[in-house]
Amino acid sequence: MAPKKKEVLFEFPKPVDNDYLVGHTNTLKAFCDAWNNKDSHPIHPVWMLCGPRGIGKATLAYKIAKMVYGNVGDFFIIDLANNIDERGNPKSDAKAISVHTVRAMIERMQMSSMSGQWRVVLIDSVDELTSAASNAILKLLEEPPAQTLFLLVTHQLSNVLPTVRSRARVEKMHPLKISELRDLCTKFMPDADISSEILKLANGSFGKIANLKSTGGDVIYEELLDVLKNPNATASDIMIVAEKIAASPALYGIVLDALAAFGLADLYPTATIAISDINRLNLKADIAIFKIIVETKKCL
């Protein structure tokens, strides 16, 4: 198998630092209209931005937040990066946002300035709240403080407590168009070669492209497709690709993407379970992925 050209890995700004929003004009306009007319028609205090990962929900949320508090009011962020434990110590390596993080934010709100400026609470994301944290947020939303805007980012609406959902204005945001993905690629990766296959693979998520490019996963995905297409690929060739995928759990999903690319929907459930078992049963990732690739080749 011919060696692939080494790709330059990229770094991308976090949503809080990114002012470049592409798409979602309808959602932004809906908020701006509501905000500009809030004196005559009180604005809904809770806005839920819902849609697939990586399409710009958090970027839009931060854009709205900066518009509202204007560096004068108070801004409270609840996310994994600002997570704390029961002692108030950082807990950024956790997989869920603790109730202690939410309670600390509520205490800061109660002590915040009474200057009359708007306050913003941004949660990224609601999906990552523990049950106790969700219930603590629910109590706050039952009687929202005056002049406080809640921006709730969620990747899967079904993961949100119905009682929380019912108190929010839900804005369903859609995957980005190919042209919008190209726009973002030109902005953040002007010298990168983004193939049509990668754009299609992204399913409207620039976050997925960013993840692939920052990890070299796009090159590994092409190598995976080459191995699957090559009838003369050896077990050694397959293992080389399997080891590259296994090195980063964030890349496990490209195995499922390859199944979709070849129209092998019948293998999808089995492969999904096999990938899930890697962590659940503490299996050797390279061996498990090797077996999935081998079974996939048998069906081609």
Side-chain angles (χ1 to χ4, degrees), residues 53-130:
R53 290 180 181 272
I55 63 171
K57 300 186 303 298
T59 298
L60 175 59
Y62 279 103
K63 187 178 185 70
I64 290 173
K66 293 171 185 177
M67 179 193 314
V68 172
Y69 84 93
N71 295 319
V72 177
D74 295 300
F75 188 19
F76 305 92
I77 302 171
I78 296 177
D79 60 12
L80 286 173
N82 295 284
N83 208 23
I84 61 173
D85 61 19
E86 65 275 8
R87 296 182 179 180
N89 297 320
K91 195 179 181 183
S92 57
D93 60 339
K95 294 183 178 179
I97 300 171
S98 72
V99 66
H100 311 292
T101 305
V102 175
R103 287 172 179 166
M105 181 276 296
I106 294 174
E107 289 180 6
R108 291 197 304 274
M109 282 186 64
Q110 292 171 342
M111 297 170 59
S112 65
S113 170
M114 301 299 290
S115 65
Q117 300 294 337
W118 274 78
R119 299 180 295 183
V120 178
V121 177
L122 192 158
I123 303 178
D124 181 20
S125 69
V126 176
D127 310 63
E128 294 165 336
L129 294 170
T130 63

Side-chain angles (χ1 to χ4, degrees), residues 66 102 137 167 198 203 230:
K66 293 171 185 177
V102 175
I137 287 294
R167 285 166 172 77
I198 293 299
N203 291 322
N230 183 3

